[in-house]
Amino acid sequence: EVLAADGLVALPGFVDLHTHLREPGREDTETIATGSAAAALGGYTAVFAMANTDPVADNAVVVEHVWRRGREVGLVDVHPVGAVTVGLRGEKLAELGTMARSAAGVRMFSDDGLCVFDPLIMRRALEYTRALGGVVAQHAEEPRLTVGAQAHEGEVAARLGLTGWPAVAEESIVARDCLLAQHVGARLHVCHVSTAGTADVLRWARNRPAGVAGRMAEAVVSAEVTPHHLLLTDERLTDYDPVNKVNPPLRTGGDAEALRRALAEGVIDCVATDHAPHAVQDKDCEWAAARPGMLGLQTALSIVVRTMVETGLLDWRGVARVMSERPAEIAGLPDQGRPIAVGEPANLVLVDPDARWTVRGAELASIAANTPYEGMELPARVVGTVFHGRPTSWDGKVRH
Ligand code: NCD
Ligand code: ZN
Ligand code: ZN
């Protein structure tokens, strides 16, 4: 019995700026249809499909395919994110304008799972995106500092004999791109912030005196944090279970606490899932060979409630801000993330704050089942989602 008799909370439909839907290329782990179902069940009415598909979403044909397929499925607005460079770890700027003018109307461009080594390419991406009225979502990884990295570089990794991914690999590239964005007056969105030091960099960048950088007045820096970086720490690595392997790695308890505070303060704007489905053989293997990433769409609300509401850091108004309003603003979606307007088709989610449920990966809508919350009892449950005026999920079931 999921439905409570009363006490349901209504929020604007959630907006996920960071979802890996795996189509095209890895439809054995997720498709736009199964990922949309997971989104509807998780309370989402819009998701941003990351560009590291196969083929890479670095051109109009791929982004239009993802956009069309999302419309056909019709459970959630699927906005394709364009890759900033041609190909994975590309050295050449992609045709951002062609993707922007395509039917998909791409306005968010990312290096997620890709990486922009060259600061000049990043500068050009920021300038080009600015001209298109869009935003660059940066993956917050300096790859030359993370070669062979498997875990947060710190005491736990040293004890377990795992190679480390240092905090500086994230903090240094975030600082570089904040400076570049302010120099050219562009919008930069920092993906999956995972360290206390990155929160400090964001605070510093935002508080620089006006005029210190070329076009600082026009620049906007925003940032997201994942549910797993709010809750889980590198102590989870003790049994070498690859379900806990993720980019960026699970950090220390001190980092998680700093991220929760930064989210409450607004230094980090929003929560994004980084929903990353993987095949059984890519997770049920030895630690070093496993792929990084974990499912997130159907557990995000519950983890936010556990880490932010139960701790008194956010009230329900704050949950709406970090799950709906701020991500809709960052992405420039006028019809999402707002309180429900009378007489308009609604994008909303009904939540039962008193419900408890136990996570079973096999019961989630995704094809993949790689959840780090297997068997955990979590607070709060999505009772129903309404997408452009139409119910897309009710009582744990998708409504087509
Ligand atoms: C992402 C994926 O699986 O696509 N994995 C992850 O751990 N976040 C890619 C990435 O962001 O590195
Ligand atoms: Zn990433
Ligand atoms: Zn990602």
Side-chain angles (χ1 to χ4, degrees):
E1 182 55 31
V2 170
L3 295 181
D6 54 19
L8 300 186
V9 175
L11 304 168
F14 302 144
V15 175
D16 191 13
L17 294 180
H18 193 150
T19 316
H20 296 274
L21 290 179
R22 302 296 190 227
E23 182 177 346
R26 285 308 298 264
E27 292 87 346
D28 58 318
T29 63
E30 192 78 290
T31 64
I32 291 166
T34 60
S36 294
L41 291 166
Y44 287 88
T45 49
V47 299
F48 283 74
M50 275 295 164
N52 64 337
T53 48
D54 184 10
V56 175
D58 60 5
N59 61 80
V61 174
V62 176
V63 295
E64 282 192 357
H65 169 78
V66 171
W67 179 77
R68 285 227 167 76
R69 192 66 201 119
R71 300 254 304 197
E72 276 165 25
V73 173
L75 290 172
V76 59
D77 282 330
V78 175
H79 296 282
V81 177
V84 292
T85 59
V86 176
L88 289 166
R89 308 212 164 198
E91 301 291 313
K92 187 167 163 287
L93 202 61
E95 289 199 19
L96 310 187
T98 313
M99 290 188 270
R101 282 187 296 272
S102 76
V106 177
R107 287 294 180 278
M108 183 176 273
F109 299 94
S110 172
D111 60 342
D112 186 58
L114 307 166
C115 305
V116 175
F117 279 51
D118 184 342
L120 183 57
I121 299 279
M122 185 49 110
R123 176 188 173 151
R124 292 230 171 94
L126 287 162
E127 287 171 328
Y128 200 170
T129 302
R130 173 178 174 277
L132 297 167
V135 54
V136 171
Q138 77 111 273
H139 173 72
E141 174 194 358
E142 167 48 89
R144 286 159 294 192
L145 287 169
T146 62
V147 176
Q150 302 169 347
H152 169 66
E153 183 178 299
E155 188 255 315
V156 173
R159 174 159 39 93
L160 298 175
L162 298 172
T163 55
W165 173 324
V168 69
E170 176 171 315
E171 293 151 9
S172 59
I173 201 78
V174 172
R176 180 195 82 173
D177 290 350
C178 285
L179 291 169
L180 282 172
Q182 292 179 340
H183 181 68
V184 303
R187 286 164 58 206
L188 174 75
H189 178 69
V190 180
C191 292
H192 45 48
V193 172
S194 73
T195 78
T198 302
D200 287 340
V201 169
L202 291 167
R203 225 178 252 115
W204 164 81
R206 292 215 180 101
N207 291 329
R208 295 176 81 206
V212 73
R215 304 182 70 156
M216 206 175 137
E218 295 150 74
V220 181
V221 173
S222 58
E224 68 186 37
V225 62
T226 70
H228 46 274
H229 288 107
L230 292 171
L231 180 69
L232 307 177
T233 72
D234 58 358
E235 293 294 340
R236 291 267 308 215
L237 273 46
T238 307
D239 59 2
Y240 299 93
D241 184 343
V243 81
N244 299 305
K245 185 170 173 179
V246 64
N247 289 347
L250 300 177
R251 305 283 188 183
T252 68
D255 288 306
E257 193 184 331
L259 296 173
R260 294 192 289 263
R261 288 188 188 289
L263 183 63
E265 285 168 27
V267 172
I268 294 173
D269 300 78
C270 64
V271 172
T273 66
D274 198 6
H275 178 83
H278 284 298
V280 175
Q281 66 270 20
D282 290 325
K283 278 297 194 182
D284 209 355
C285 58
E286 64 168 302
W287 176 274
R291 294 205 185 197
M294 42 186 68
L295 299 183
L297 286 168
Q298 285 181 254
T299 47
L301 171 73
S302 293
I303 303 301
V304 169
V305 170
R306 169 129 302 161
T307 54
M308 302 300 295
V309 179
E310 288 183 350
T311 54
L313 289 166
L314 287 183
D315 57 13
W316 286 98
R317 186 74 202 65
V319 174
R321 176 166 58 83
V322 302
M323 301 283 287
S324 312
E325 290 167 15
R326 284 299 294 138
E329 282 167 11
I330 291 163
L333 303 181
D335 61 341
Q336 296 271 357
R338 293 176 303 149
I340 298 96
V342 175
E344 271 181 43
N347 286 309
L348 70 88
V349 52
L350 281 176
V351 172
D352 182 350
D354 299 320
R356 295 282 179 280
W357 63 293
T358 302
V359 182
R360 304 276 173 225
E363 292 169 11
L364 300 174
S366 292
I367 297 170
N370 52 305
T371 174
Y373 313 115
E374 183 70 40
M376 272 175 77
E377 197 192 62
L378 295 181
R381 174 143 204 162
V382 171
V383 169
T385 309
V386 178
F387 166 64
H388 294 313
R390 204 163 51 75
T392 49
S393 78
W394 187 256
D395 193 13
K397 285 182 190 62
V398 175
R399 291 169 57 104
H400 287 278

